[in-house]
């Protein structure tokens, strides 16, 4: 599958990185197979992200590392064979693999970005400490540097998703955690969850890197994120879910 040279991958990675502009966010539609990827590129999008949840659903396995890294790479290779745009990949919490193996696998199938989360699914879903998560981000950055590609690292925290600890200082703790990941070599920061405008504005103004917001593609106003300082938008499982609702309506006419 090593159909793309390191030079070409390096160029794609730099293109992806340059698209991240706080206040003028890049929209990376979350895709799960070659069909959805082609659909997004045909609609005019210039970069994509591959979501673990929709990929897992599409191959009949549970999210949260119910599929293997090889399952994911097989699907990513099909996507990068079909479309010629930068592709980022949600690698969940890393499948228990060393950073070098994760980076080598992604580059082998032509991916130039990744999401890495701080919930460790293989260890009873424990939350990594902020230092541990930053160390993993640093290891991924070092492995990418060694490979000669500035793989775009989107460091995710699940504090909001898990409703971890006291709500009163959750935003403070998320900011501290993501600032540590930024220091370790992340390129963008993903406080996954749906945030009210004030919280989102606080996150984007206090964090040193572009912030990734999640959008409901069929409901949210695309113009609402830029003024809040967002630098990147993705859809998580919500594009696939919206298509599923429409498909059920169509199929319901015949069942």
């Amino acid at each position: 599958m090593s159909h793309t040279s390191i030079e070409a991958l390096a160029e794609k990675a730099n293109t992806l990185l340059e698209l991240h502009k706080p206040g003028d966010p890049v929209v990376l539609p979350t895709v799960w197979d070659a069909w959805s990827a082609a659909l997004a590129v045909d609609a005019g999008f210039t970069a994509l992200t591959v979501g673990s949840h929709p990929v897992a659903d599409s191959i009949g396995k549970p999210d949260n590392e119910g599929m293997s890294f090889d399952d994911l790479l097989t699907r990513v290779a099909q996507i990068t064979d079909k479309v010629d745009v930068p592709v980022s990949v949600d690698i969940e919490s890393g499948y228990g693999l060393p950073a070098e193996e994760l980076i080598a696998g992604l580059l082998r199938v032509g991916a130039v970005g990744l999401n890495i989360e701080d919930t460790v699914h293989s260890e009873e879903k424990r939350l990594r400490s902020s230092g541990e998560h930053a160390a993993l981000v640093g290891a991924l950055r070092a492995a990418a540097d060694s490979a000669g590609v500035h793989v775009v690292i989107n460091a995710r925290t699940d504090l909001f998703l898990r409703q971890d600890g006291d709500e009163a200082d959750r935003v403070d703790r998320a900011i501290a955690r993501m600032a540590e990941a930024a220091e370790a070599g992340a390129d963008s920061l993903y406080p996954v969850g749906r945030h009210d405008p004030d919280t989102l504005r606080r996150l984007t103004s206090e964090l040193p890197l572009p912030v990734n917001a999640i959008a409901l593609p069929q409901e949210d106003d695309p113009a609402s994120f830029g003024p809040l300082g967002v630098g990147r938008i993705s859809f998580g499982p919500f594009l696939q879910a919206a298509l599923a609702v429409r498909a059920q309506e169509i199929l319901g006419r015949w069942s």
Side-chain angles (χ1 to χ4, degrees):
M1 291 176 199
S2 55
H3 54 284
T4 309
S5 71
I6 285 295
E7 293 75 21
L9 288 172
E11 197 175 319
K12 271 203 167 93
N14 293 338
T15 299
L16 179 60
L17 185 60
E18 285 162 12
L19 290 170
H20 291 65
K21 296 181 183 125
D24 181 18
V26 59
V27 180
L28 300 179
T30 306
V31 301
W32 54 92
D33 61 6
W35 173 80
S36 55
L39 206 65
V41 171
D42 288 348
F45 291 94
T46 56
L48 305 172
T49 188
V50 176
S52 68
H53 190 158
V55 168
D57 272 358
S58 76
I59 62 172
K61 296 192 176 179
D63 189 30
N64 301 327
E65 300 193 358
M67 64 179 167
S68 68
F69 188 45
D70 281 343
D71 287 334
L72 181 61
L73 292 182
T74 297
R75 182 50 60 86
V76 175
Q78 294 163 356
I79 291 168
T80 58
D81 279 342
K82 180 70 178 173
V83 298
D84 188 28
V85 298
V87 172
S88 181
V89 179
D90 174 3
I91 60 168
E92 306 194 66
S93 56
Y95 302 94
L97 298 171
E100 296 78 10
E101 205 171 318
L102 294 167
I103 292 293
L106 290 171
L107 294 177
R108 191 169 66 248
V109 295
V112 294
L114 64 88
N115 281 11
I116 185 73
E117 63 194 57
D118 52 5
T119 296
V120 190
H121 299 291
S122 58
E123 297 174 25
E124 298 178 346
K125 303 197 183 307
R126 72 177 180 86
L127 189 72
R128 287 191 182 99
S129 71
S130 58
E132 192 185 359
H133 194 48
L136 176 54
V137 168
L140 289 163
R141 171 57 60 227
D145 286 349
S146 294
V149 179
H150 188 95
V151 173
V152 178
I153 297 175
N154 191 32
R156 166 175 149 167
T157 182
D158 288 351
L159 284 191
F160 298 101
L161 200 62
R162 297 168 65 116
Q163 300 191 312
D164 180 79
D166 192 342
E167 190 179 359
D169 70 343
R170 193 174 294 140
V171 177
D172 293 325
R173 286 182 290 116
I175 287 171
R177 181 172 275 259
M178 288 186 291
E180 214 172 322
E183 186 73 24
D187 297 295
S188 57
L189 303 167
Y190 189 14
V192 70
R194 299 280 290 165
H195 305 294
D196 62 73
D198 288 342
T199 302
L200 204 45
R201 195 178 283 109
R202 199 184 148 201
L203 289 164
T204 62
S205 60
E206 294 188 29
L207 285 167
L209 291 173
V211 170
N212 188 154
I214 195 166
L216 298 176
Q218 78 283 26
E219 289 178 30
D220 287 336
D221 175 3
S224 65
F225 293 91
L228 298 175
V230 169
R232 167 174 170 150
I233 298 167
S234 53
F235 299 145
F238 298 125
L239 175 59
Q240 190 186 54
L243 295 185
V245 170
R246 183 68 185 117
Q248 283 159 358
E249 290 166 6
I250 295 167
L251 293 170
R253 296 182 60 236
W254 297 93
S255 62

